[in-house]
Amino acid sequence: MFLQWQRSSSVTVGLLVLVWTPLFHSHVCLSKQRCGVIICRYSTVYDPTEKVSLFIRVIKTCKKMGIKTVAVHSDVDSSAVHVKMADEAVCVGPAPTNKSYLNMDAIMNAIKQTGAQAVHPGYGFLSENKEFAKRLAAEGVSFIGPDTHAIQAMGDKIESKLIAKAAKVNTIPGYDGVVKDAEEAVKIAGEIGYPVMIKASAGGGGKGMRIAWNDEETREGFRFSSQEAASSFGDDRLLIEKFIDNPRHIEIQVLADKHGNALWLNERECSIQRRNQKVVEEAPSTFLDPDTRRAMGEQAVSLAKAVKYSSAGTVEFLVDSKKNFYFLEMNTRLQVEHPITECITGLDLVQQMIRIAMGYKLQHKQSDIPINGWAIESRVYAEDPYKSFGLPSIGRLSQYQEPLDLHNVRVDSGIEEGSDISIYYDPMISKLVTYGKTREEALKKMEEALDNYVIRGVTHNIPLLREIIVHPRFVSGDISTKFLPEVYPDGFKGHMLTAGERRELLATAAALYVAAQLRSQKFLGDLRVSVVPAESRQWELCVELDKGLHMLGVSRSGNNYTVEIDGEKVEVSGEWNLASALLPLTINGKHRTLQCLLRTAAGEITLQYLGTSFKLRVLSKLAASLSKHMPEKVPEDTSSILRSPMPGSVVAVSVKPGDNVAEGQEICVIEAMKMQNSMTAAKAAKVKSVHCKAGDTVGEGDLLVELE
């Protein structure tokens, strides 16, 4: 079959509009006309090192299959990578999602305007919207995903749970109806028994979900969950079920065609989460044995067949310490973490989805599905990991360099240097995937990839990601959905340096300082002045780190530096290319890749070392002796003011000047990237002034409220 498609995709949601129009009848002789014909050739083997984002890879897959693409985008995404790659692009509205990516009328107009005959919805916004699928069907446009019945049945968590029970799938105890209000939620929670999970019936991706341990948290959780659900999905219905404490989150990838055939493509371990959103995933899981894997896979396929599912989908389970598993939900779309399944099975899931939508049967049997090697995915976000494990950050990527030169590394991203990260959409920068024959090999490759990933202009979560993958508990496979709060009960603080690592960092900063000083004496490789004293080969320096002063002796021989710290010698060598974003060095015989994030004439140096950024100051012996006379900046009293911890919009303000507030009382609510955050008072006091109102857009650090 010869097909020509077009697709539409968003930088944040990957919505594709595809056109597939038969170019010639099958009996036509192509002869000289072949030069303008794209022939579809189907391959079932997927290259796990292919480095593209979902929507970009969908475009690439379509091109391989002879399908043309159209990208839909909001006005702020007009310069996005997928827009440039697609054959055509159509703007569907301004930045707010309800005016663009959720605007079905605008998207349907784009489909008619371009003559598109199919849509790939990616994994955001309308990807699980039954009304959108119905409108496409009414216009004769194919939806590359399941039919509306499956979307409706599995998209409603209440209905999906009833169907799962009927299909003999293990389910979590809970209330099977819709919760009407906060007081009914409290009543139901009391009957089920705390703790309970309050979640959006039409939700997903961790939005509209709250855990409640008492009546007060249930009331608050109902309010926030219903608001987030309405904002994210246009549906504020909630359900309540028993919260399985300390479980693993393991999901099964399924693939089903329109002819009644279905497969399970093994599992993905997704237990590392924050705010019910996944951070690190891997395939396969260290926890499952073959029997449990098979039982979960068979139940997942049973559920898919129960709703006559046809496409790629994911059935999510909670698994307790005894390997009992319970149905959580089914996502009727391609998951963010699908690349790790592709890596260990060799299947291109996007291609399979397109083939299924075109009416083809599955090419494989269950016995054909392998587990080859190990794959790990780290979700790289524009977030500050030091704030609640990740509050959103915005800005422009002033420098961006993916670790593409490393073997068995895949980066799925939709951004490039110069791209803007805005408050309107999900803050994900990329999905960083590493592959190895063993888990140990994949972890080592991930460590290397994170060290070589250059991101400037926004705060990112690479420090947290790197700490997770090297933590002994994670390395041993001892994980659960509570991993982050258990490992970091006081919040994430970055890498804690050992004595040896501290010496390495100090020595590197000193050597870098000297290398920069020597380079500044030269111009085009020659000395700036003809008569200068003989070049010094030894230096006495003072390096400040974490308010501690360290006296160092530095000697140089070519590109090799010997640094003496507290009687210990550290050997540091490298090319010292100060213009490069990466600083590959050999420190005491060990290879390290650092990044110099900041270097000033005043001796301030910020180094990214072992994933974490460290601020240092390097001074000569004389400058160090004089620095004690410099006045110190007095830190701000944060107990009397409330500043926004992140960029976002003000949803509600609960106080006015003159009000008395108690410690911990809610003052206002800030929403960023569809997540709502309650801002509370740090002490009991009277409100002095309010500097924001509902609907305002605020930046990180903006003053919201002052207390007396």
Side-chain angles (χ1 to χ4, degrees), residues 187-197 212-213 240-243:
K187 179 176 178 291
I188 294 169
E191 293 172 353
I192 296 174
Y194 288 108
V196 297
M197 172 70 82
W213 295 80
I240 298 180
E241 61 189 18
K242 182 71 176 176
F243 175 62

Side-chain angles (χ1 to χ4, degrees), residues 54-337:
L54 172 64
F55 33 88
I56 292 173
R57 185 167 69 72
V58 175
I59 292 177
K60 286 197 170 187
T61 297
C62 288
K63 286 183 177 179
K64 290 177 183 177
M65 300 175 72
I67 298 167
K68 288 190 176 181
T69 58
V70 178
V72 296
H73 61 90
S74 67
D75 55 6
V76 296
D77 285 342
S78 59
S79 298
V81 177
H82 75 287
V83 174
K84 299 174 184 177
M85 287 188 63
D87 296 291
E88 298 180 53
V90 178
C91 181
V92 291
T97 55
N98 63 334
K99 297 180 180 179
S100 53
Y101 297 120
L102 287 174
N103 187 343
M104 292 189 207
D105 291 337
I107 293 172
M108 294 303 297
N109 287 337
I111 293 170
K112 293 175 183 177
Q113 175 186 333
T114 59
Q117 293 179 337
V119 171
H120 192 301
Y123 43 64
F125 294 138
L126 298 177
S127 62
E128 296 179 283
N129 189 299
K130 63 181 183 293
E131 295 304 323
F132 182 56
K134 284 180 181 177
R135 290 187 63 171
L136 291 175
E139 295 292 333
V141 178
S142 293
F143 181 77
I144 302 179
D147 62 22
T148 55
H149 166 69
I151 294 174
Q152 178 172 346
M154 293 295 98
D156 187 313
K157 288 184 171 58
I158 297 170
E159 185 178 352
S160 67
K161 190 172 180 181
L162 295 174
I163 294 173
K165 283 182 178 180
K168 301 189 183 307
V169 177
N170 305 341
T171 58
I172 301 171
Y175 179 67
D176 295 331
V178 178
V179 184
K180 297 177 182 177
D181 53 40
E183 291 311 311
E184 185 181 27
V186 170
K187 179 176 178 291
I188 294 169
E191 293 172 353
I192 296 174
Y194 288 108
V196 297
M197 172 70 82
I198 304 167
K199 58 185 182 181
S201 177
K207 295 179 175 65
M209 297 176 67
R210 289 292 191 280
I211 299 168
W213 295 80
N214 53 49
D215 292 354
E216 181 70 23
E217 290 182 4
T218 299
R219 292 186 181 92
E220 185 179 87
F222 182 90
R223 177 165 67 98
F224 282 122
S225 292
S226 59
Q227 290 173 356
E228 286 180 5
S231 174
S232 297
F233 315 111
D235 184 344
D236 64 357
R237 292 177 304 143
L238 301 177
L239 62 89
I240 298 180
E241 61 189 18
K242 182 71 176 176
F243 175 62
I244 307 298
D245 196 16
N246 215 34
R248 286 175 179 258
H249 184 136
I250 299 176
E251 61 191 26
I252 301 291
Q253 176 72 57
V254 296
L255 197 62
D257 62 23
K258 298 178 185 295
H259 305 277
N261 304 305
L263 303 170
W264 49 275
L265 308 182
N266 304 310
E267 79 278 7
R268 295 187 289 255
E269 172 76 71
C270 307
S271 298
I272 306 299
Q273 304 180 3
R274 53 96 178 91
R275 298 192 300 276
N276 298 309
Q277 291 182 314
K278 302 159 190 172
V279 179
V280 177
E281 302 104 342
E282 61 181 306
S285 169
T286 60
F287 189 62
L288 296 190
D289 55 63
D291 290 340
T292 307
R293 177 180 294 115
R294 185 182 306 107
M296 293 176 70
E298 289 174 352
Q299 286 199 17
V301 166
S302 175
L303 179 61
K305 288 184 175 181
V307 292
K308 297 180 181 179
Y309 196 86
S310 60
S311 191
T314 300
V315 180
E316 301 190 350
F317 294 94
L318 291 181
V319 185
D320 66 21
S321 59
K322 296 181 180 179
K323 297 185 181 177
N324 298 310
F325 56 91
Y326 305 93
F327 170 70
L328 184 62
E329 64 181 2
M330 183 176 189
N331 290 303
T332 57
R333 56 177 168 81
L334 198 61
Q335 291 281 84
V336 172
E337 59 273 16

Side-chain angles (χ1 to χ4, degrees), residues 686-700:
K686 180 179 287 188
V687 177
K688 180 179 179 182
S689 57
V690 178
H691 298 269
C692 63
K693 63 181 183 298
D696 284 356
T697 298
V698 295
E700 181 179 357

Side-chain angles (χ1 to χ4, degrees), residues 337-534:
E337 59 273 16
H338 77 275
I340 55 177
T341 295
E342 293 180 326
C343 286
I344 67 167
T345 62
L347 296 179
D348 181 339
L349 294 184
V350 173
Q351 187 183 67
Q352 296 299 317
M353 292 177 74
I354 294 173
R355 291 188 77 260
I356 291 168
M358 293 166 66
Y360 287 96
K361 290 184 178 181
L362 293 179
Q363 297 171 302
H364 303 281
K365 297 179 180 178
Q366 190 62 57
S367 58
D368 298 332
I369 306 303
I371 297 180
N372 290 328
W374 214 284
I376 297 172
E377 175 179 289
S378 292
R379 299 193 185 194
V380 181
Y381 283 102
E383 290 183 338
D384 186 345
Y386 301 99
K387 297 178 179 178
S388 301
F389 299 112
L391 291 184
S393 169
I394 63 171
R396 176 166 294 175
L397 291 168
S398 57
Q399 194 170 7
Y400 184 74
Q401 182 178 316
E402 297 172 348
L404 302 181
D405 56 331
L406 301 179
H407 182 57
N408 280 340
V409 172
R410 168 178 167 178
V411 183
D412 281 25
S413 70
I415 48 89
E416 60 187 350
E417 192 164 291
S419 293
D420 287 312
I421 307 295
S422 73
I423 65 172
Y424 298 106
Y425 312 121
D426 192 280
M428 184 184 293
I429 293 174
S430 73
K431 299 172 292 180
L432 177 63
V433 181
T434 58
Y435 173 81
K437 293 180 180 178
T438 64
R439 186 170 186 262
E440 181 182 9
E441 187 179 317
L443 283 173
K444 282 293 182 186
K445 185 62 67 174
M446 180 61 73
E447 192 177 334
E448 184 181 3
L450 289 169
D451 284 342
N452 282 270
Y453 205 150
V454 178
I455 303 172
R456 307 277 195 277
V458 297
T459 305
H460 54 76
N461 68 331
I462 283 181
L464 176 62
L465 295 173
R466 198 185 187 284
E467 284 300 291
I468 290 171
I469 61 143
V470 300
H471 194 278
R473 271 190 59 180
F474 184 82
V475 173
S476 68
D478 178 20
I479 61 176
S480 73
T481 55
K482 283 192 170 183
F483 177 87
L484 289 179
E486 286 178 353
V487 172
Y488 308 106
D490 299 321
F492 179 67
K493 307 296 182 184
H495 182 72
M496 299 292 108
L497 295 170
T498 65
E501 291 168 349
R502 183 176 294 273
R503 285 193 294 270
E504 284 188 11
L505 180 60
L506 293 168
T508 300
L512 180 62
Y513 174 85
V514 172
Q517 292 293 311
L518 293 176
R519 191 184 72 164
S520 68
Q521 296 174 7
K522 297 181 179 181
F523 179 72
L524 296 179
D526 295 323
L527 293 173
R528 291 181 179 271
V529 292
S530 57
V531 180
V532 294

